[in-house]
Amino acid sequence: MLCWRKISADQHIESGDVMKFSRRTFLKTVGVASAGVTAAATMPERFLSWAEESAEAGVKLVPTFCELCFWNCGLIARVENGKVVKVEGNPLSLRGRGRLCGRGNAALGALYDPDRLKYPLINTGTRGAPVWKRASWDEALGVIAGRMEKIRKEHGPEALALFSHGTGGAFWKHLLKAYGSSNYTAPSFAQCRGPRDTGFLLTFGADVGSPEYYDFDNSRHIVLLGSHLGENAHNSQVQDVVQGLARGARLTVVDPRLSNIASKADDWLPIKPATDLALLLAWIRIVIVEELYDREYVGKYATGLEELGAAVAEYTPEWAEKETDIPAETIVRIARDLGKSAPHVCIGAGRYAVWYGDDTQRSRAIAILNALLGSWGREGGYYLPVSGGVPEYPGLPEYPHSEGVPRLDEAYPFASLQTTTSIRQASITGKPHPVKGWFVYGCNLMKTMPDREETIRALANLDLVVAIDVLPVDMIAHADVVLPECTYLERYDNLSVGKFKELEISLRQPAVEPLWESRPSWWMTRELGSRLGLQAYFPWKDGEEYLARRCEAGGVEFAELKKKGVIVRSGGASPYIVPGSEPTFDTPSGKIELFSKQLQEKGFDPVPKYTRHPQPPQGYFRLLFGRSPLHTFSRTTNNFLLADLQKENSLWINSRKGRELGLKDGDTVQLETSAGVTSPGTIRVKLTERLREDAVYLYHGFGVHAAGMTRAGNRGVGDDELIAKPTVDPIMGGTAMRTTFVKPVRRG
Ligand code: MGD
Ligand code: SF4
């Protein structure tokens, strides 16, 4: 068994890791950079060089924002003679603060990828075995509009659904709503952060935001559970953690793997996978029994302390030790330290939260622990975001409403957003109402929604499948019509409005003209709208006018936004609870709900209860996965700059276990699951001390098998290829994806 607090982090950082230095160097490097960033954010305008016309002939500096992940950091594109030659961070951006991560710096690899979708395509073969015909925009949009009309006539507008991920999805949602459907969904809910948001909503009446409202830079103790900050490359958040650590915050990382951030921790707790809830409940119990909680805060703002205390009485540290493999005295020591540092503590809510099927309850336990320590709305805990925003385009007609159409998610009473899988299910069964058409914007559903066979069954029942993408990803082969979107460096797009301590408004504007025949979403949706008789919903001449009118309606100076790329507005109010500004909690009781009557009324545990999850059978390992610092899902694996740095994933396996199986570094294996699924591709073994013996680990996003993806194709193994039937969170419908057990089978 691995031992915490004894591993010298630097000994175990593999070559090729992005953060390959000691905690001291790490703090120094990023700390210095972020000090510069703070200065830049308040820098007089004359130093913001791109804001003036470049003096160099043929050179243009265009501020816009990144789309290589959802963080949307501001960037400045340098354009020379009509070509983007470089991107740099925009110091005004709150999410980037003048810096871009490795992926963000690889913008040219996305823009100039020769594999990009170039023309509209119509599938004259079948879904899954396409035969492509190059089409004109007029023909492709005509086919789509015709089938949309037919679906509306035969099944009603609610039979059309949108899967969307990314900034341009807002235009497609607008089209769908104007058409009369409310069935839009994003994998970022039921396949990612839905349980977390639901757990916090049930407790505080508010979610934790995206980017999250962590006040890490002021924390005295940060706890991360299964969140590998740094490797997941959330730009400003990494900078905040580094600031917090530089100012002396303690860091506790709970992870079966010595992630890079764990290697910088004061305590790394290599927990037995699937037992985090046991640890959290034990911490809650200690905080209550030893009266470490914030009495005044809890007394004033929370309800249900007594019931909570009774419900967690059985979860002693000794019991938790047996479940989690973490010694009781460590559990107690950390709980006491949290009590001492409260309220300046932040138990991170995580992001990718669909783990084992009871994820809303695990997230609720995190929320409850934060509530007891009084960290919500407090300095060093969770800050209260600014209110406000930018209004929608003024004067548009109201969206039509279909009366009496049942919700697709009725089975999951606390699904605050539509789940992808309920749309898939309705497409198969026709219940509670038929779904006959899918628009898939910026989602590679074949790798995103677990249980690919089920997705293929659903697709077989549809009358229309449209994919809007920039690359010929796995999903494309299943579409009837493919619309090539131009990349984020070639288009006007929706505004990115971030509500943090201040309001941040970021503009996306084209640095260069779209390549080939690719087009932006504002244009595609407007064209479709006019073919469907919905012109009144699309009165804008172009993307620029759309944005200018919205800004005008919101009192935002559009010319200034174009020049700077980002405008930051202070909300005026304190981001913390201060005397005279009492917080409000949007829960039924108006208080923080430690005990949830809402859950109880719907037949769920009002206080999280521990259930033991299955552990790997003899000879198998739990399959764990996470983000690579160099890739965002399958979105970037074909990027030639990033593929050069990391072209495939490897299978981490504990050295002792690996040797026992006769494996050595670099061996090629396939993975076989205990449910009988074999990975189509192979993966190279990497023996490491940085992982428990009962799990294996790989980076997500690989195992792409799409024709036309010349660099990503058939590289490594995807965790998604191995998940059979995922366990579903009964509270909000999230699909648990850490329940697969695999064994390596040697090849070659
Ligand atoms: P990607 O797989 O990266 O993300 O799932 P998806 O949202 O499906 O696919 C993104 C698609 O967007 C790609 O096809 C890419 O080419 C396209 N794209 C990129 N830029 C643009 C653009 O500007 N315009 C358009 N139109 N398309 C663009 C992510 C989802 O997956 C999430 S959020 C999570 S957290 C889950 N992660 C996850 C996991 O870790 N494991 C497993 N097994 N499944 C997962 N599913 C979830
Ligand atoms: Fe782009 Fe990186 Fe920022 Fe994500 S974190 S938006 S990939 S620079």
Side-chain angles (χ1 to χ4, degrees):
M1 188 47 57
L2 295 175
C3 190
W4 39 96
R5 304 192 89 196
K6 289 214 180 102
I7 296 227
S8 145
D10 301 330
Q11 268 174 312
H12 296 280
I13 306 291
E14 59 183 319
S15 66
D17 270 357
V18 162
M19 286 191 223
K20 173 168 129 177
F21 29 53
S22 69
R23 176 165 163 149
R24 227 169 103 224
T25 330
F26 175 73
L27 297 183
K28 231 164 72 189
T29 316
V30 192
V32 166
S34 17
V37 165
T38 315
T42 54
M43 206 179 256
E45 206 170 307
R46 65 180 184 279
F47 294 114
L48 302 175
S49 56
W50 79 95
E52 299 301 330
E53 271 307 300
S54 168
E56 294 172 68
V59 175
K60 220 172 42 164
L61 298 165
V62 184
T64 183
F65 65 87
C66 181
E67 185 78 3
L68 289 178
C69 88
F70 46 80
W71 213 255
N72 290 172
C73 303
L75 64 83
I76 314 291
R78 183 182 171 89
V79 184
E80 289 182 5
N81 303 318
K83 283 220 162 102
V84 181
V85 293
K86 191 179 175 199
V87 294
E88 278 183 298
N90 182 343
L92 295 177
S93 159
L94 298 182
R95 285 171 262 191
R97 304 175 196 163
R99 319 187 91 211
L100 298 173
C101 76
R103 300 163 299 169
N105 271 307
L108 272 64
L111 171 62
Y112 296 119
D113 188 335
D115 291 344
R116 271 179 58 180
L117 293 167
K118 300 176 178 71
Y119 317 101
L121 299 170
I122 293 179
N123 186 355
T124 58
T126 55
R127 293 184 194 131
V131 177
W132 295 115
K133 179 187 130 187
R134 178 175 165 179
S136 67
W137 275 100
D138 192 47
E139 185 186 8
L141 295 175
V143 168
I144 297 170
R147 292 207 209 160
M148 284 173 81
E149 290 288 21
K150 189 162 178 283
I151 289 173
R152 177 156 54 187
K153 211 156 116 212
E154 291 175 5
H155 306 281
E158 294 281 351
L160 196 68
L162 167 67
F163 297 77
S164 154
H165 196 186
T167 313
F171 294 102
W172 294 95
K173 189 169 163 186
H174 176 62
L175 175 69
L176 191 86
K177 284 165 95 176
Y179 172 85
S181 173
S182 56
N183 286 315
Y184 42 84
T185 182
S188 49
F189 181 70
Q191 279 70 52
C192 185
R193 57 193 171 90
R196 167 196 94 167
D197 290 348
T198 310
F200 273 70
L201 268 169
L202 285 163
T203 312
F204 292 105
D207 64 37
V208 299
S210 171
E212 292 78 10
Y213 311 135
Y214 301 147
D215 202 25
F216 282 151
D217 42 342
N218 294 308
S219 295
R220 296 197 190 143
H221 195 151
I222 297 167
V223 180
L224 302 174
L225 295 112
S227 168
H228 59 174
L229 250 167
E231 277 164 284
N232 68 11
H234 295 164
N235 196 345
S236 47
Q237 208 166 74
V238 181
Q239 298 183 41
D240 285 344
V241 168
V242 168
Q243 286 276 13
L245 297 184
R247 289 178 181 159
R250 283 190 74 78
L251 175 65
T252 299
V253 174
V254 184
D255 197 315
R257 181 178 71 104
L258 184 79
S259 59
N260 286 353
I261 192 72
S263 75
K264 316 290 174 234
D266 297 284
D267 283 283
W268 167 45
L269 311 183
I271 194 164
K272 186 198 285 183
T275 67
D276 292 66
L277 186 51
L279 173 65
L280 287 159
L281 291 169
W283 274 340
I284 290 173
R285 181 184 175 280
I286 299 163
V287 167
I288 295 178
V289 170
E290 298 194 10
E291 299 196 5
L292 302 171
Y293 60 93
D294 187 329
R295 276 180 165 276
E296 193 188 334
Y297 180 97
V298 171
K300 206 160 159 192
Y301 302 125
T303 164
L305 180 64
E306 213 173 295
E307 293 96 326
L308 174 67
V312 299
E314 62 188 293
Y315 302 124
T316 63
E318 293 70 27
W319 165 84
E321 173 175 337
K322 290 198 193 99
E323 291 300 318
T324 61
D325 282 353
I326 299 169
E329 65 266 24
T330 308
I331 298 176
V332 174
R333 177 174 54 78
I334 292 174
R336 287 181 183 157
D337 190 77
L338 284 170
K340 232 188 289 158
S341 305
H344 311 280
V345 297
C346 189
I347 324 289
R351 187 167 182 104
Y352 176 85
V354 278
W355 298 1
Y356 304 113
D358 57 355
D359 305 302
T360 302
Q361 292 289 20
R362 186 188 64 256
S363 301
R364 230 176 88 66
I366 296 174
I368 288 171
L369 188 57
N370 276 298
L372 290 174
L373 296 165
S375 75
W376 184 265
R378 307 293 278 282
E379 190 179 17
Y382 287 70
Y383 65 81
L384 304 173
V386 70
S387 55
V390 180
E392 291 304 325
Y393 194 92
L396 295 181
E398 265 193 34
Y399 294 123
H401 287 289
S402 314
E403 293 300 326
V405 180
R407 273 187 55 211
L408 297 183
D409 273 319
E410 252 154 19
Y412 309 117
F414 296 99
S416 53
L417 293 174
Q418 181 92 259
T419 62
T420 49
T421 39
S422 62
I423 290 180
R424 179 172 73 183
Q425 190 63 13
S427 308
I428 295 171
T429 62
K431 291 190 181 125
H433 65 74
V435 172
K436 299 305 277 182
W438 287 10
F439 276 82
V440 183
Y441 174 84
C443 298
N444 189 6
L445 287 186
M446 288 297 143
K447 296 191 72 61
T448 298
M449 259 200 292
D451 200 346
R452 180 186 292 222
E453 292 312 310
E454 199 77 344
T455 307
I456 290 172
R457 272 180 69 203
L459 287 165
N461 280 352
L462 301 178
D463 297 340
L464 173 65
V465 183
V466 181
I468 307 108
D469 211 297
V470 291
L471 282 168
V473 296
D474 313 62
M475 180 62 211
I476 298 301
H478 299 268
D480 304 333
V481 186
V482 175
L483 303 181
E485 181 160 54
C486 51
T487 67
Y488 61 99
L489 290 166
E490 302 163 293
R491 69 189 194 225
Y492 281 107
D493 211 328
N494 196 24
L495 292 170
S496 176
V497 180
K499 294 186 189 183
F500 312 118
K501 285 183 188 168
E502 296 165 304
L503 187 75
E504 183 192 43
I505 302 152
S506 307
L507 175 76
R508 174 167 291 147
Q509 57 187 333
V512 286
E513 288 297 308
L515 288 171
W516 301 291
E517 287 182 18
S518 61
R519 295 274 190 277
S521 279
W522 67 259
W523 181 86
M524 291 185 247
T525 49
R526 192 195 61 181
E527 291 301 303
L528 267 175
S530 77
R531 281 168 174 78
L532 292 161
L534 302 171
Q535 295 91 333
Y537 292 91
F538 297 88
W540 38 88
K541 176 168 76 63
D542 54 29
E544 187 172 10
E545 185 188 292
Y546 163 83
L547 292 161
R549 285 296 310 279
R550 280 190 63 194
C551 285
E552 190 190 326
V556 177
E557 183 51 57
F558 186 63
E560 186 189 350
L561 186 60
K562 278 200 69 146
K563 196 163 134 184
K564 294 183 176 168
V566 175
I567 288 181
V568 175
R569 280 181 170 175
S570 161
S574 168
Y576 310 122
I577 299 172
V578 287
S581 78
E582 291 305 309
T584 50
F585 299 98
D586 195 9
T587 55
S589 65
K591 294 199 160 200
I592 301 169
E593 302 203 333
L594 305 175
F595 178 96
S596 172
K597 287 201 181 122
Q598 296 189 70
L599 281 174
Q600 191 179 41
E601 277 160 20
K602 297 282 181 194
F604 300 112
D605 295 326
V607 168
K609 211 182 238 172
Y610 183 69
T611 323
R612 194 173 284 161
H613 293 291
Q615 290 295 331
Q618 186 67 29
Y620 287 85
F621 301 83
R622 186 180 295 275
L623 177 64
L624 300 179
F625 52 86
R627 306 281 179 262
S628 153
L630 293 170
H631 289 292
T632 307
F633 319 118
S634 59
R635 182 171 282 239
T636 51
T637 44
N638 206 61
N639 182 307
F640 54 81
L641 295 172
L642 297 173
D644 256 8
L645 295 170
Q646 186 178 43
K647 62 177 187 305
E648 61 187 33
N649 55 358
S650 54
L651 183 76
W652 292 34
I653 184 162
N654 177 279
S655 306
R656 201 184 69 79
K657 266 310 220 200
R659 281 195 294 270
E660 225 175 78
L661 295 173
L663 294 170
K664 55 183 188 327
D665 267 333
D667 280 354
T668 303
V669 295
Q670 273 178 294
L671 295 180
E672 262 177 36
T673 74
S674 55
V677 181
T678 304
S679 64
T682 57
I683 186 166
R684 283 180 200 283
V685 166
K686 170 186 142 106
L687 300 183
T688 177
E689 301 293 322
R690 294 173 56 184
L691 185 65
R692 286 175 56 99
E693 294 188 355
D694 47 6
V696 291
Y697 178 85
L698 49 77
Y699 281 137
H700 175 65
F702 293 90
V704 166
H705 300 290
M709 298 276 279
T710 53
R711 281 167 300 280
N714 305 315
R715 297 269 183 197
V717 167
D719 49 282
D720 47 278
E721 303 176 292
L722 297 162
I723 300 168
K725 296 279 169 213
T727 315
V728 177
D729 187 322
I731 298 178
M732 50 59 68
T735 47
M737 294 193 259
R738 290 196 177 151
T739 52
T740 309
F741 302 125
V742 296
K743 66 177 178 196
V745 182
R746 201 199 290 265
R747 290 285 178 272

